[in-house]
Amino acid sequence: MASFSVDILVPVWNRPVETRSCLVSLVESAPEARLILIDNGSDRETERLLEEFAERLGERALLLRNDITCGFVPAVNRGLSRAEAPFVVIVRNTTVVAPGWLEPLVELATARSETGLAVPRLVLDAATSRRGRRRPDVRVTEVSHGSFAAMLIRRSLFERMGGFDEELDGDVWCLRDYSRRALAEGYLTFAAEGVPVVCRDEVLLGSPGRRRELVDASAAAVATRWGQAASYLVYFPSTADPEVVRTRFSVLLRAARMGHLLTVAIGCKLRRTVSAAGLGSVHRSIVVEELPRFFAPSALRRIVDRCAAEGNDPVCVAGIDGVDPPGEMPPCRPFAWFENEVGAREEAFYRRGANGNPVTAPADCVTVTIPGGTRKGDERKEVAL
């Protein structure tokens, strides 16, 4: 029986042309991976296509079949329950990958045991994926949540906390919930952006009104479980001690991991320090804005107005207690208040102490190679009851 280091799940519901393109790209770019194809009640044309691929791939494929369409997330969860490799990758059947897309995800998860989920660089434009001949440098940063277009999951994380919530929207709020659950277990969500992966906008099913109701209900459910996300504008003057700034960025990172949006306004003299320490790219939800030497008050005002226009009216925080932002700004909270808010949320929703460490650490994040392939007694083609 063959052993695989990666299982790639591809839930499929019709769209045979896109499905063929997706599967061909996966077979060519990931020869060491096993494909778990979940036929989610497709039409006969798509069904024959999946049977053809499973037949040709032999042990490299496991075909699961649902007699009726059960929804994308239930199909994902079924595939996760049958995965055996230490790393499992979810790929939509409308996604097309290129050589070199998978390796950065596996290398990241292998090197950093706290990696629970990882996404590649996702683009909507196919022309973008063909630019450049050499494999691009991989940029790693933390992100708020993954993507069903393409996403790696550590199998031990799934075994520890289960699958995705099938009652949520099957999109952003479902993904945010899963990353928060992973965080509560001590795992992080990363983007390892190297070779572009082309994804397409999904065709939305059902009436707009029903979809809106589901999205609103999902957003409310996630807010109840993990607290309401907020937007903060944190100001550091040019005279701030760089070591203090670096220390306080660790608090900002803890806040970003819980879903908060943070805009960090810094004096121009601090920009070099922040860039050299890599603080500007630690998390995609932390945006660093350099203030000009002159007219800093008007620049700050524009940042506040832009955040408000995007629906994220920010709470202003003084990065250095006692040094408020210049100009006519909203009331500014001291950083000690902000740090207490972060610690209180961790304690309330993530069972963590004030230092940000889990009360109960993950059982074992060390990657162990587990034999892949089809389990004894299973056939590559199954019919769900």
Side-chain angles (χ1 to χ4, degrees):
M1 183 170 60
S3 176
F4 299 93
S5 59
V6 178
D7 281 331
I8 300 179
L9 313 182
V10 188
V12 178
W13 184 60
N14 300 329
R15 306 183 74 162
V17 175
E18 292 95 333
T19 299
R20 180 179 291 276
S21 297
C22 171
L23 296 182
V24 168
S25 70
L26 289 171
V27 170
E28 293 177 347
S29 65
E32 302 303 320
R34 178 179 68 151
L35 270 60
I36 300 180
L37 309 176
I38 305 102
D39 180 2
N40 203 12
S42 299
D43 55 30
R44 183 54 187 156
E45 180 183 0
T46 307
E47 185 180 30
R48 285 197 299 265
L49 170 67
L50 297 178
E51 291 173 348
E52 173 189 337
F53 267 89
E55 187 69 27
R56 291 184 178 182
L57 291 174
E59 286 190 319
R60 280 192 62 195
L62 172 64
L63 178 59
L64 310 177
R65 182 174 293 120
N66 296 324
D67 288 337
I68 60 174
T69 305
C70 63
F72 180 82
V73 174
V76 167
N77 285 340
R78 186 184 181 203
L80 287 170
S81 69
R82 298 300 305 274
E84 296 179 337
F87 304 118
V88 188
V89 178
I90 301 168
V91 176
R92 280 194 184 273
N93 65 323
T94 53
T95 297
V96 177
V97 301
W101 73 280
L102 181 59
E103 289 82 353
L105 303 179
V106 176
E107 291 167 5
L108 171 64
T110 302
R112 301 183 62 168
S113 61
E114 73 273 23
T115 303
L117 303 97
V119 294
R121 178 187 174 195
L122 299 172
V123 300
L124 294 175
D125 182 9
T128 304
S129 66
R130 295 193 293 267
R131 295 173 187 168
R133 296 182 178 179
R134 296 186 304 173
R135 174 176 167 177
D137 293 335
V138 178
R139 186 169 66 94
V140 176
T141 184
E142 288 189 47
V143 292
S144 177
H145 56 82
S147 171
F148 284 129
M151 172 174 57
L152 177 145
I153 299 177
R154 189 182 296 274
R155 187 167 65 86
S156 59
L157 173 63
F158 166 74
E159 293 175 341
R160 184 178 178 90
M161 69 181 200
F164 293 87
D165 189 334
E166 299 176 8
E167 300 299 319
L168 298 179
D169 61 342
D171 197 8
V172 172
W173 292 107
C174 180
L175 292 162
R176 288 180 180 176
D177 175 70
Y178 204 75
S179 285
R180 302 298 172 272
R181 288 164 58 194
L183 179 61
E185 298 289 347
Y187 292 91
L188 304 177
T189 304
F190 288 95
E193 298 187 321
V195 174
V197 169
V198 180
C199 57
R200 296 180 175 88
D201 290 331
E202 289 300 302
V203 177
L204 300 177
L205 304 177
S207 68
R210 292 292 298 273
R211 290 199 303 270
R212 185 70 260 171
E213 289 177 3
L214 178 58
V215 170
D216 290 344
S218 299
V222 172
T224 299
R225 294 172 188 175
W226 307 109
Q228 187 69 47
S231 175
Y232 295 95
L233 171 61
V234 184
Y235 169 71
F236 289 102
S238 294
T239 55
D241 184 342
E243 187 57 38
V244 172
V245 174
R246 282 193 289 268
T247 300
R248 295 194 168 178
F249 255 84
S250 65
V251 182
L252 303 183
L253 179 57
R254 288 160 53 195
R257 288 170 175 169
M258 294 186 290
H260 293 315
L261 301 176
L262 300 114
T263 302
V264 183
I266 61 173
C268 56
K269 292 182 180 179
L270 274 177
R271 181 66 187 189
R272 183 175 300 177
T273 300
V274 169
S275 298
L279 299 178
S281 58
V282 293
H283 199 290
R284 198 173 288 169
S285 295
I286 302 176
V287 178
V288 178
E289 299 272 5
E290 180 181 348
L291 299 177
R293 186 182 301 272
F294 304 104
F295 309 111
S298 59
L300 274 169
R301 187 70 256 175
R302 286 194 297 271
I303 293 173
V304 172
D305 292 343
R306 185 190 68 219
C307 292
E310 295 171 350
N312 303 311
D313 198 15
V315 177
C316 292
V317 176
I320 304 299
D321 291 347
V323 184
D324 290 345
E328 297 181 2
M329 295 289 291
C332 199
R333 302 275 192 167
F335 196 85
W337 170 88
F338 174 73
E339 189 168 12
N340 286 337
E341 287 289 303
V342 172
R345 177 175 291 234
E346 288 173 332
E347 179 67 26
F349 297 103
Y350 295 90
R351 304 188 304 276
R352 293 180 168 219
N355 62 357
N357 294 325
V359 174
T360 303
D364 186 9
C365 295
V366 178
T367 300
V368 178
T369 301
I370 300 175
T374 308
R375 291 174 180 167
K376 184 177 180 180
D378 286 342
E379 296 179 354
R380 285 188 297 106
K381 303 176 183 179
E382 298 182 350
V383 178
L385 297 177

